[in-house]
Amino acid sequence: MAASSTFSAWTLKGSALVPKASKSNPEFVCNYLDGSIKQKLHSMSMSASADTSHSWIFPYEKAIDWRRGKLSLKSGVQCRALDVETKPSFSVGNKFELEDVIEGQQFDRDTLGAIFEVALEMEKIEKNSAGSQVLKGYLMATLFYEPSTRTRLSFESAMKRLGGEVLTTENAREFSSAAKGETLEDTIRTVEGYADIIVMRHFESGAARRAAATANIPIINAGDGPGQHPTQALLDVYTIQREIGKLDGIKVGLVGDLAYGRTVRSLAYLLAKYKDVKIYFVSPEVVRMKDDIKDYLTAMGVEWEESADLMEVASKCDVVYQTRIQRERFGERIDLYEEARGKYIVDRNVLDVMRKHAVVMHPLPRLDEITIDVDVDPRAAYFRQAKNGLYIRMALLKLLLLGW
Amino acid sequence: MAASSTFSAWTLKGSALVPKASKSNPEFVCNYLDGSIKQKLHSMSMSASADTSHSWIFPYEKAIDWRRGKLSLKSGVQCRALDVETKPSFSVGNKFELEDVIEGQQFDRDTLGAIFEVALEMEKIEKNSAGSQVLKGYLMATLFYEPSTRTRLSFESAMKRLGGEVLTTENAREFSSAAKGETLEDTIRTVEGYADIIVMRHFESGAARRAAATANIPIINAGDGPGQHPTQALLDVYTIQREIGKLDGIKVGLVGDLAYGRTVRSLAYLLAKYKDVKIYFVSPEVVRMKDDIKDYLTAMGVEWEESADLMEVASKCDVVYQTRIQRERFGERIDLYEEARGKYIVDRNVLDVMRKHAVVMHPLPRLDEITIDVDVDPRAAYFRQAKNGLYIRMALLKLLLLGW
Amino acid sequence: MAASSTFSAWTLKGSALVPKASKSNPEFVCNYLDGSIKQKLHSMSMSASADTSHSWIFPYEKAIDWRRGKLSLKSGVQCRALDVETKPSFSVGNKFELEDVIEGQQFDRDTLGAIFEVALEMEKIEKNSAGSQVLKGYLMATLFYEPSTRTRLSFESAMKRLGGEVLTTENAREFSSAAKGETLEDTIRTVEGYADIIVMRHFESGAARRAAATANIPIINAGDGPGQHPTQALLDVYTIQREIGKLDGIKVGLVGDLAYGRTVRSLAYLLAKYKDVKIYFVSPEVVRMKDDIKDYLTAMGVEWEESADLMEVASKCDVVYQTRIQRERFGERIDLYEEARGKYIVDRNVLDVMRKHAVVMHPLPRLDEITIDVDVDPRAAYFRQAKNGLYIRMALLKLLLLGW
């Protein structure tokens, strides 16, 4: 297929385009001529699939940017290939290659295990007062469309503990203020010129995925509205692994707001990747776990049951995962909120029936759903859990910027 | 005393627990079983006091964190010791050991002198364009519950001039927003996982003390509401030392808002630690110095008098310390405010009667209580005073993180 | 002329005062006794002009600060010299010496060319993953009186890509809040104690110039209200140079809001420094280019014409510079706004008539004045233009802090 006469044609020939294998896996971003579709292709897949029967046309040689060992084809790129919609295999060997962190579902059991190994290395690095220089010279932008100080500080600490630098904004909405109305895509294209990786918090579900489809640098979703918050899900599973020593065969009680709590829903999803897991749902009637997750667990062969007896569940579980009842979910019905929030409290009576090796977890912040006197018990794992978020984020930053 | 059966017992044996003496003095944080009381003990004191008649029970070996040369016993720690409420001696030799900077009163004359020596070293470091790496690898969190750009930038500059890194938040209230309601203590436990030292600004008196009681890392109070702002008090005294060359025997005129001005109150308090100091109070009637400070000075043997004659006071003093009349203190009574603010102005007429070696100080910001034409006089010390804040904060950061 | 009796006199003797030539050009800031006027003198010029017939009186030897290789005379400095109002030559050889970046007009053609050469070096530095340490140990304060995330992140990225550090504030108004009322000059004197260079965004025209007149460290204007935004003007000219390969003899179409658009006005001004430039103005009637720029271009011998035919202009130009119609300029007349904004859209039809080597530029953010399908065309230069802002800012930071 001939390129338009304004373009010089350049045909992709497999391995010739594979860049120095020094940094994370290179990718090719191709914009179709109608400008509406983007597709990311691994060079590995391309070198296999881009045989001579396809013509890959790149309009501008100077649009290619070898920035940081990564071959990016900039905005002025067109791909014409008949079979480009055939999704290429993303696997090299058996290992998932990290490009972006968008949602919990993208990780399989092996990848989770590999990430957790890196997180464990990160614990050692963080404890070393000399300070790591692993990410020296790298710049992370925290692009927050709504403030989330806790999450932002955790990511920024992770980057700085590895010797990297940070550009911060908590009022990213200003980029696209009412009067101005810039699209998220345009904002991302501007910010990717300033940084090597973007950590994004947004108020709209799916925003992180849109950002990743646009960006030539890695995107980490730090929460997109009611959607995903994958690093929270990862740190929860990592904490169970660290505290209990295993994930297969564990019994987990999910307590509190199971209807709206993003964390418990994600956790249930991820736990389904492990064997012989048993999940107990303990929640006030108005915020019971929704059917989508229950159906998913059933389909995956995960045993689950609902219970109204926290004491009995606590006595059997490895993990009691408590959550906050969110007042904002109840609107005017303060009475329902007050009834719900007082129903299942983790206190010393609950601790008394819990097993010696078991732990209490909570995504924080907490109100009074865990009483303060629980804090001194070594089985109170929630502040260690928060700290694990640092290690998981260090691991992801390292993996996305430098690879395994 | 036997530990509960879920705990392994571990008996403290003095020197065996003293960590490598590389960093600041190690501390043991003990939570009582009821969770409500905390006590910090120096290992030095503990090794003396923890004789065999007490049982110190640590429930979890993995709760011990040797982070950065500091032995911290994490949240799952219980201490049971009959005499732990007997406050241990915090002294090692004759030197006060810095753990936190919470209030001006914690410093004695010798400690102030020692801090000022370090601040003087810091002046040299700051002027060296190569940049110091003294705090390389250390991370400071500025946890500001209300904005104070001036104070925040001063601390952040101090940290960066020493090669350290910073995590910033000016909307720390978001951590514990109305809907969420996290306690200050929980916030501190989260943030201490991300940083090596916390600089905190809060709107409530006593907040810094509460934070220090919780944290396993050093806390610096950068102002807690109507309470303390100890680094301002230190930089004021340091400026007098630098400008006048001594503190004993000086005459200081405190001018302006003496009733509500936090800085003049703290300064009066600290000056009482020196010999033969004479303090003059010059203020509009409505904002006169309160009796608590007057009584304190009298009790400490410090001579003071009130005067309505700024010219006469200025002619006798080594330091004329002017302050801003704060409009917000007058509510609806704008007439009283206007009367008060115009009463004592430092202008060239005041300079004309001042002694050659004397200086004008002001905590900034100023309105028109010092006229602009005073700025060019070398005795106008207020911008040098602001700069001294940088050196004092560099000194404190160095001392808290690395020790003397 | 005798100094007042409180001052020791110190007479300037040319070369004796020239500091080590290691850093940017030293400057002497002299405050007149009335405190209202400031004058910056290059030492080079001073050593020539300060002959023995003038008495330069410096009141305080300790007011001299050799900070970072720069001789600054601090706040307590008086200059008395009869001819000091005779503006000294700022030239050393033929090269303009950068002290501050305040407005586009300060740059001549040669200086622009020299800056662009440095910007080109910066492209290489930025692409090097190791990270530059050129500005290691230097601290930049971003003092933003109104948020401008795009501009701020660009400057902060520039500083960090060169190994420098940043102090950030986006609420600099808090320094001088209504209740407090500090002057800009006082704020600058405080902040210059914390940093080595200040990047300032302000809502008032002329604010940057006032800051530069006060500061002993370099100031970069990052936009002062309706006034100047010189780094945007520089990056625009640099982009034309990079994309078209020349500036002499180019044809540029300025499209959209020409009445209020700060960028197109500045660009027209700077293009007048080059030879045989032809400018086309294409705008809705209500936002036509104002007469001051037209008169200026005519006086400078620059050919220009107004046109209502975007297609015809596009077919002839090297650069089509599109701008956003700013709704806030139309007040209640939404009808006029809607009519204006739809009038000249750059879409694929415009691209079809454009020359092969020509480019589309836009200062961003854009709404729909350039359609999204233009993005994939290699002639869409606006995201490369945004990236060039990074290189220009890196170049200016390097030049202001280290010199050529």
Side-chain angles (χ1 to χ4, degrees), chain B residues 184-341:
Chain B
L184 173 64
E185 282 76 7
D186 277 16
T187 303
I188 292 292
R189 287 196 190 179
T190 301
V191 175
E192 73 175 346
Y194 305 152
D196 302 305
I197 188 167
I198 295 173
V199 175
M200 191 174 102
R201 175 90 163 203
H202 204 278
F203 47 89
E204 278 179 20
S205 187
R209 186 180 295 281
R210 284 169 56 205
T214 299
N216 288 315
I217 63 173
I219 301 286
I220 300 182
N221 183 2
D224 54 349
Q228 292 268 342
H229 189 6
T231 60
Q232 176 72 44
L234 262 61
L235 78 89
D236 285 345
V237 179
Y238 179 63
T239 299
I240 296 174
Q241 167 80 55
R242 285 285 284 142
E243 296 284 333
I244 308 302
K246 63 172 185 177
L247 285 156
D248 290 328
I250 57 162
K251 291 185 171 61
V252 178
L254 302 179
V255 188
D257 179 353
L258 306 184
Y260 306 108
R262 188 166 55 179
T263 54
V264 282
R265 290 173 52 84
S266 296
L267 180 56
Y269 191 96
L270 281 185
L271 288 175
K273 297 180 187 293
Y274 296 89
K275 290 179 198 158
D276 303 322
V277 170
K278 172 82 186 263
I279 300 182
Y280 299 88
F281 299 126
V282 184
S283 71
E285 189 62 27
V286 287
V287 286
R288 285 173 58 191
M289 180 56 82
K290 291 181 178 171
D291 285 341
D292 62 338
I293 295 289
K294 290 178 187 169
D295 293 346
Y296 177 80
L297 293 175
T298 301
M300 297 290 285
V302 176
E303 217 183 316
W304 61 267
E305 65 177 77
E306 292 188 301
S307 169
D309 188 344
L310 175 58
M311 296 300 276
E312 201 218 332
V313 166
S315 71
K316 289 187 293 194
C317 281
D318 301 288
V319 176
V320 174
Y321 195 109
Q322 175 67 295
T323 58
R324 184 169 56 91
I325 307 286
Q326 297 175 69
R327 184 174 183 158
E328 56 271 34
R329 301 300 183 187
F330 289 83
E332 308 267 304
R333 298 302 306 272
I334 301 300
D335 55 331
L336 288 181
Y337 165 68
E338 290 298 341
E339 186 191 328
R341 72 180 281 213

Side-chain angles (χ1 to χ4, degrees), chain A residues 123-299:
Chain A
E123 294 200 28
K124 288 171 208 152
I125 286 177
E126 192 254 357
K127 281 172 181 52
N128 174 7
S129 67
S132 168
Q133 296 296 304
V134 167
L135 294 185
K136 185 172 166 64
Y138 286 91
L139 205 40
M140 172 183 100
T142 45
L143 190 64
F144 275 46
Y145 283 78
E146 57 181 18
S148 175
T149 309
R150 183 182 309 272
T151 301
R152 181 174 63 80
L153 292 188
S154 176
F155 270 108
E156 295 184 359
S157 179
M159 190 67 182
K160 293 188 171 183
R161 289 291 188 209
L162 289 170
E165 272 293 340
V166 174
L167 301 175
T168 298
T169 183
E170 276 201 325
N171 65 345
R173 281 190 195 220
E174 192 268 334
F175 262 113
S176 55
S177 65
K180 294 179 179 170
E182 182 174 67
T183 63
L184 173 63
E185 282 77 6
D186 276 16
T187 302
I188 291 293
R189 286 196 189 178
T190 301
V191 176
E192 74 174 344
Y194 305 153
D196 302 306
I197 187 167
I198 295 173
V199 175
M200 192 174 101
R201 175 87 163 206
H202 204 280
F203 46 90
E204 278 177 19
S205 187
R209 185 180 295 280
R210 283 170 56 205
T214 299
N216 289 313
I217 62 173
I219 301 287
I220 301 181
N221 184 2
D224 53 349
Q228 290 268 343
H229 189 6
T231 60
Q232 176 71 45
L234 262 61
L235 78 89
D236 285 345
V237 180
Y238 179 64
T239 299
I240 297 173
Q241 166 80 55
R242 286 285 283 140
E243 296 285 334
I244 308 302
K246 62 171 186 176
L247 285 156
D248 290 328
I250 57 162
K251 292 184 171 60
V252 178
L254 302 178
V255 188
D257 179 354
L258 306 185
Y260 305 108
R262 189 167 55 180
T263 53
V264 281
R265 289 173 51 85
S266 296
L267 181 55
Y269 192 96
L270 282 184
L271 287 176
K273 297 180 188 293
Y274 295 90
K275 290 179 200 156
D276 301 324
V277 170
K278 172 82 185 262
I279 300 183
Y280 300 87
F281 300 125
V282 184
S283 71
E285 189 63 25
V286 288
V287 286
R288 285 172 60 191
M289 180 57 83
K290 292 182 178 172
D291 286 341
D292 61 338
I293 294 288
K294 291 178 186 167
D295 293 346
Y296 177 80
L297 293 174
T298 302

Side-chain angles (χ1 to χ4, degrees), chain A residues 328-389:
Chain A
E328 57 271 33
R329 302 299 183 189
F330 289 83
E332 307 266 305
R333 298 304 306 272
I334 301 300
D335 55 330
L336 287 181
Y337 165 68
E338 290 297 342
E339 185 191 329
R341 73 180 281 212
K343 187 134 189 185
Y344 296 109
I345 303 288
V346 174
D347 56 17
R348 293 202 64 84
N349 294 326
V350 174
L351 279 181
D352 283 347
V353 302
M354 280 175 63
R355 301 167 73 187
K356 284 185 197 177
H357 76 276
V359 291
V360 178
M361 291 174 63
H362 190 294
L364 303 181
R366 66 147 165 203
L367 288 180
D368 49 13
E369 63 272 7
I370 300 177
T371 57
I372 292 175
D373 57 3
V374 171
D375 295 3
V376 299
D377 193 290
R379 294 170 295 176
Y382 28 95
F383 292 114
R384 295 193 294 273
Q385 180 185 358
K387 184 68 176 264
N388 286 337

Side-chain angles (χ1 to χ4, degrees), chain B residues 34-68:
Chain B
D34 68 7
S36 65
I37 307 172
K38 281 165 180 296
Q39 189 93 14
K40 287 189 179 184
L41 302 179
H42 276 272
S43 62
M44 300 303 172
S45 315
M46 283 185 67
S47 50
S49 69
D51 62 69
T52 51
S53 69
H54 309 112
S55 59
W56 292 76
I57 297 151
F58 296 94
Y60 227 26
E61 204 156 339
K62 78 174 178 183
I64 298 170
D65 177 12
W66 281 85
R67 173 148 179 71
R68 299 179 181 267

